[in-house]
Amino acid sequence: MIFNNIETIELPEKIEVNKAFIVVMVADGEVPFAQIIIRHSDGWEWIVKDQMVEYKGKYRYHFQIPATAFHVGMANLQIEGCRVADISSADVNDWVTIFRDIQIADSQQIPKSIPVKPNVTLGDSNQPVIYFGIHKHMHQPYYNATEMDYWDGEKDDIFGQRGGPYTHFIPAAVKQYIDGGLSHAGLSTSWSGSLIEQLNRCAETGRGHGAFSNWNQGLRELAQSKTAFGNPRVDFTAFGFFHPLMPLIPARDIIGQINWHQHIIQEAFGTEASDVMFPPETAFQPHMIPALKQAGVNVVMYDSIHHFRACKDYPYAGSGEGMLPPNPADQENAAVNDWLALNNIWAPSKISPELLKPCILRYTDHAGNNSEIIGVPAERYLGNEDARGGYGALQYEGVMGQIYDKIKPTFDPKHPPFFILHSDGDNYGGGADSYYTCNTSGLVNMCQNDARFQLITVKDYLHKFPVDPNNIVQVEAGSWAGADNGDPQFTKWFSWAEQDYSPDLNSWAVLTAFQNIVHSFEDSNQDKTLLQAVQRLLYTAETSCYWYWTGQEVWDAQVTNAANKAISLIDIANICKQDKTGPTIFMPWVRPANPGGKDWGQNGLTDAAKEATFLTFVYDITGVKTVLLHYSDSNKKSSVVMKNCGAYPSRTNPAQIATKYQAILPAGTGNIKYYIEAVDNNGNVSYSPMGKIYIN
């Protein structure tokens, strides 16, 4: 009988270098091709198979690991067998694999040596240095928003193929930083709550090709490792539990998603979530700042191009940049004169090395209240190339050397350059074993031998080089390059918005109503157990992936399905009697994005309409009484009643859906700030975030 599963793995309590040992594998049937691949983080590999595997009966296999197969340090064992007797006809789905990490000690029991002093200047010298960090993002959504335990063969493969990234790849990389004597090096990493919960289920059930037994052990151990400044080597960043697109959800949901995430990080990794945030999709808009601060976030990463484009005299690269020209209302930062066209890398627009350093981001709401947060740039083009696999995609010395040469004449030793190379940690080249092993080895070697570049954690950099409090900057809205170039209009999540029907707009309209119903229920202080259940459905419905894959019915209906299930559990008529929650206002959007400027046409850029149409969704359980668009320039304030366009014409049969409102401002209105005020039939009032736009 051919086996289906590996039931147990037995390892020695102690493993020493130069001494052979035995690994025992017990399966539930005969294993035709049993083997172990031994890997070290320096790229070493050794395969134990054939005559080195002894069958002991009762489907028990002994692997004789020779002393030549390993060396001192942490090693990873890939223990596996093929379920097909003819290996030539087997494919990846026929292999069952389990991973285990082992620590190999020095047989002489020599005390651990003091780490080599790293070649890190940390501001003790006036010689120019470029500091950089690495961020790895890990996420899987729930593939059924109403059934968290939904699973099938496709999901098993999706998870099973990511055994390394979700278990031992990060520890392997950071171990190389430590062994290389880089006392300030580490990385930050974001893990969605939906991924962690599903990995926990995989560990319990054997799902994901059985790759996730004790999946977080190595990460929990590494979470205790510190840099020279006492900061985490691995910083588990703040995040939204279900991967929401934060610029487009209410502040209270941003806070709720972050708070839920903080709890699961503590449970999964035995450490507190960081006060540094990597926002989902690197999507940021300044109006998020008050909510982030309230949730305990003090530092946020943003895509660097949205700082560059917010400068006067920005050298817009045309349609090849993949975004429309920046709106003049966003271009509040002073002009800079160090624009650089990068070579030997995909970089369709110029960058400003001077701006690649942490800064202060500020937001002012409609009432004049200011909120500030530290912003850390994630460099768009370097991060994008690093995501393709490190060396071989991004030539670190050559490309960063161009930035180094540009900053040399004006180097500020108190505020040297620092930026993040950010990418998915489980996809493409940036999620491959080679990235975390061979590529990391090359990075360590570079930092040891080339004083121009140093890998450092966000917290260690900010410890040594506090942000200039006067460096307050404006950034436009937007996300990372991989989402329709991350434009300020969030087009990836507004697909088909100009057509008669948009699945994305439908989901936003459904979600707006859903948010108001759950928020009203929360404010009524009824049934805390039911509240947690409907909050979970709401936060799940905010998963950005449900908009990302527009046009696929399985994704387009997810928000509606979650909303309908939750709404069926709530007595809306009862909470209407004591409603004290204002209307929910979806973040307003404007068409065209640059009134009187340029818009997308059939052959690239074309002249845009000159008048501006302001659009939003509004919903309240007691009904909406009035919706006003307030706007102002430097001289006066004005208001206009927004037109009720009726409920969005849904095709997913939602139980409740929001109403679309619009207002039109004429050409020549100028540079304005705006927000929406909505009042419900009980007199409760809500305000949207403040926006800005120039109407030519």
Side-chain angles (χ1 to χ4, degrees):
M1 181 182 70
I2 301 296
F3 85 117
N4 286 309
N5 296 296
I6 297 172
E7 296 189 333
T8 60
I9 298 293
E10 299 174 12
L11 298 171
E13 291 185 4
K14 184 177 182 181
I15 302 173
E16 295 181 350
V17 73
N18 298 323
K19 294 183 179 180
F21 65 95
I22 294 173
V23 174
V24 177
M25 178 181 77
V26 180
D28 61 358
E30 180 183 356
V31 183
F33 298 95
Q35 65 180 25
I36 294 179
I37 304 174
I38 301 170
R39 295 188 179 94
H40 282 275
S41 59
D42 57 7
W44 171 275
E45 279 195 5
W46 187 290
I47 301 179
V48 177
K49 61 181 181 178
D50 299 331
Q51 68 271 21
M52 290 184 284
V53 183
E54 185 178 359
Y55 181 61
K56 293 291 188 178
K58 295 185 178 180
Y59 310 129
R60 188 177 182 89
Y61 295 82
H62 284 201
F63 295 84
Q64 309 291 333
I65 313 295
T68 53
F70 53 90
H71 50 265
V72 172
M74 181 71 73
N76 176 257
L77 305 183
Q78 180 176 322
I79 308 163
E80 58 190 4
C82 183
R83 290 182 290 195
V84 175
D86 180 8
I87 196 169
S88 65
S89 65
D91 62 25
V92 66
N93 297 317
D94 296 319
W95 287 86
V96 177
T97 302
I98 288 180
F99 293 92
R100 292 288 188 271
D101 289 328
I102 57 172
Q103 184 67 46
I104 300 163
D106 190 321
S107 60
Q108 302 299 316
Q109 297 183 341
I110 300 173
K112 292 182 179 179
S113 60
I114 298 173
V116 177
K117 184 177 180 181
N119 182 23
V120 177
T121 58
L122 290 183
D124 296 331
S125 167
N126 287 328
Q127 293 301 309
V129 178
I130 289 178
Y131 297 96
F132 67 99
I134 291 176
H135 181 87
K136 288 297 180 183
H137 173 53
M138 309 290 189
H139 168 60
Q140 288 293 330
Y142 277 113
Y143 289 78
N144 185 323
T146 61
E147 186 183 341
M148 302 305 179
D149 203 38
Y150 172 75
W151 202 260
D152 58 19
E154 179 191 39
K155 310 305 171 294
D156 211 59
D157 289 343
I158 289 171
F159 279 77
Q161 293 163 8
R162 290 164 171 79
Y166 296 158
T167 58
H168 65 278
F169 280 4
I170 286 178
V174 176
K175 182 69 163 51
Q176 289 193 71
Y177 305 158
I178 297 170
D179 292 345
L182 305 183
S183 62
H184 296 278
L187 56 76
S188 58
T189 181
S190 48
W191 294 66
S192 69
S194 55
L195 170 61
I196 293 171
E197 287 185 336
Q198 290 179 92
L199 290 177
N200 286 341
R201 288 196 182 96
C202 286
E204 294 168 359
T205 63
R207 294 173 178 172
H209 297 182
F212 299 106
S213 175
N214 297 320
W215 67 271
N216 53 351
Q217 180 179 347
L219 290 160
R220 287 181 68 91
E221 293 173 357
L222 197 64
Q224 307 308 313
S225 181
K226 305 295 183 182
T227 67
F229 287 154
N231 293 312
R233 287 277 193 177
V234 177
D235 207 21
F236 292 93
T237 59
F239 200 70
F241 193 102
F242 291 98
H243 202 282
L245 196 73
M246 289 184 171
L248 301 183
I249 66 172
R252 67 196 290 170
D253 289 359
I254 293 175
I255 296 166
Q257 292 258 11
I258 294 173
N259 288 342
W260 278 37
H261 181 259
Q262 289 165 340
H263 291 307
I264 201 167
I265 289 296
Q266 178 68 54
E267 292 171 357
F269 304 116
T271 188
E272 291 185 1
S274 178
D275 67 343
V276 177
M277 163 163 275
F278 176 77
E281 306 286 1
T282 331
F284 178 76
Q285 196 159 357
H287 73 256
M288 292 163 49
I289 295 174
L292 297 183
K293 294 289 288 186
Q294 188 172 338
V297 176
N298 294 312
V299 182
V300 66
M301 301 178 200
Y302 64 91
D303 192 295
S304 60
I305 199 171
H306 300 301
H307 185 177
F308 303 155
R309 285 167 48 95
C311 293
K312 293 179 172 62
D313 299 329
Y314 170 72
Y316 176 63
S319 60
E321 188 169 298
M323 291 183 281
L324 293 171
N327 189 274
D330 280 322
Q331 296 184 295
E332 297 182 359
N333 302 319
V336 296
N337 58 12
D338 69 333
W339 296 109
L340 172 66
L342 292 172
N343 297 315
N344 301 318
I345 185 175
W346 178 80
S349 62
K350 294 180 178 179
I351 73 167
S352 168
E354 176 185 333
L355 303 182
L356 289 175
K357 63 181 67 175
C359 56
I360 302 295
L361 306 177
R362 174 181 287 174
Y363 169 69
T364 304
D365 68 14
H366 72 279
N369 301 308
N370 291 323
S371 299
E372 294 180 350
I373 198 168
I374 294 173
V376 172
E379 210 302 301
R380 163 164 288 216
Y381 299 126
L382 275 71
N384 188 69
E385 291 295 283
D386 196 48
R388 295 200 298 116
Y391 280 111
L394 172 61
Q395 299 300 315
Y396 296 95
E397 296 95 331
V399 177
M400 290 199 295
Q402 298 169 50
I403 298 174
Y404 178 87
D405 291 341
K406 196 72 173 179
I407 60 100
K408 277 176 65 177
T410 58
F411 180 70
D412 178 2
K414 292 184 178 180
H415 305 102
F418 175 70
F419 50 84
I420 298 294
L421 304 180
H422 63 308
S423 68
D424 283 355
D426 59 346
N427 285 322
Y428 309 109
D433 175 72
S434 58
Y435 181 95
Y436 293 90
T437 54
C438 300
N439 175 71
T440 297
S441 178
L443 277 181
V444 170
N445 183 68
M446 179 185 75
C447 293
Q448 289 171 330
N449 296 289
D450 193 334
R452 296 177 301 167
F453 313 117
Q454 291 301 331
L455 178 62
I456 190 171
T457 67
V458 173
K459 288 185 175 178
D460 268 28
Y461 177 92
L462 294 175
H463 175 96
K464 185 63 180 179
F465 307 110
V467 178
D468 179 357
N470 296 315
N471 185 22
I472 302 172
V473 308
Q474 163 70 19
V475 294
E476 68 174 5
S479 63
W480 71 297
D484 284 2
N485 288 293
D487 62 342
Q489 294 77 45
F490 297 110
T491 299
K492 187 67 178 178
W493 296 273
F494 277 81
S495 300
W496 310 354
E498 312 309 324
Q499 299 182 19
D500 291 339
Y501 181 78
S502 163
D504 284 355
L505 290 184
N506 175 72
S507 288
W508 289 124
V510 173
L511 184 65
T512 300
F514 187 16
Q515 289 162 337
N516 184 260
I517 292 168
V518 174
H519 297 165
S520 300
F521 182 56
E522 179 181 9
D523 293 343
S524 71
N525 294 315
Q526 299 180 37
D527 197 338
K528 298 298 184 182
T529 301
L530 178 57
L531 174 61
Q532 188 171 16
V534 297
Q535 273 183 332
R536 184 177 185 85
L537 285 164
L538 172 60
Y539 292 167
T540 305
E542 291 173 339
T543 301
S544 69
C545 309
Y546 301 157
W547 284 262
Y548 200 91
W549 307 109
T550 306
Q552 300 180 41
E553 185 177 350
V554 66
W555 296 109
D556 293 340
Q558 293 285 355
V559 176
T560 297
N561 293 342
N564 286 354
K565 181 174 181 178
I567 291 170
S568 71
L569 303 174
I570 299 173
D571 184 348
I572 296 178
N574 185 40
I575 58 176
C576 281
K577 297 175 183 177
Q578 48 183 319
D579 177 42
K580 54 185 178 182
T581 306
T584 299
I585 307 170
F586 179 65
M587 182 67 192
W589 72 100
V590 184
R591 291 294 186 266
N594 290 310
K598 293 295 181 181
D599 202 353
W600 292 117
Q602 283 189 335
N603 299 312
L605 296 176
T606 188
D607 291 337
K610 294 185 177 181
E611 64 182 17
T613 301
F614 292 74
L615 300 149
T616 189
F617 295 119
V618 183
Y619 182 88
D620 190 89
I621 59 170
T622 63
V624 177
K625 183 177 181 181
T626 58
V627 179
L628 298 174
L629 172 67
H630 299 287
Y631 62 99
S632 61
D633 58 23
S634 57
N635 297 314
K636 64 177 182 178
K637 298 180 179 180
S638 304
S639 299
V640 61
V641 176
M642 299 192 76
K643 177 184 176 182
N644 182 327
C645 300
Y648 193 78
S650 179
R651 298 177 185 175
T652 57
N653 300 312
Q656 299 291 334
I657 194 165
T659 298
K660 180 180 176 181
Y661 287 83
Q662 77 170 40
I664 298 175
L665 296 184
T669 300
N671 195 337
I672 63 168
K673 296 181 178 180
Y674 64 89
Y675 65 95
I676 290 174
E677 175 187 3
V679 183
D680 70 13
N681 286 328
N682 280 3
N684 300 306
V685 184
S686 297
Y687 303 95
S688 76
M690 180 76 79
K692 59 181 71 173
I693 193 167
Y694 180 77
I695 305 172
N696 198 357

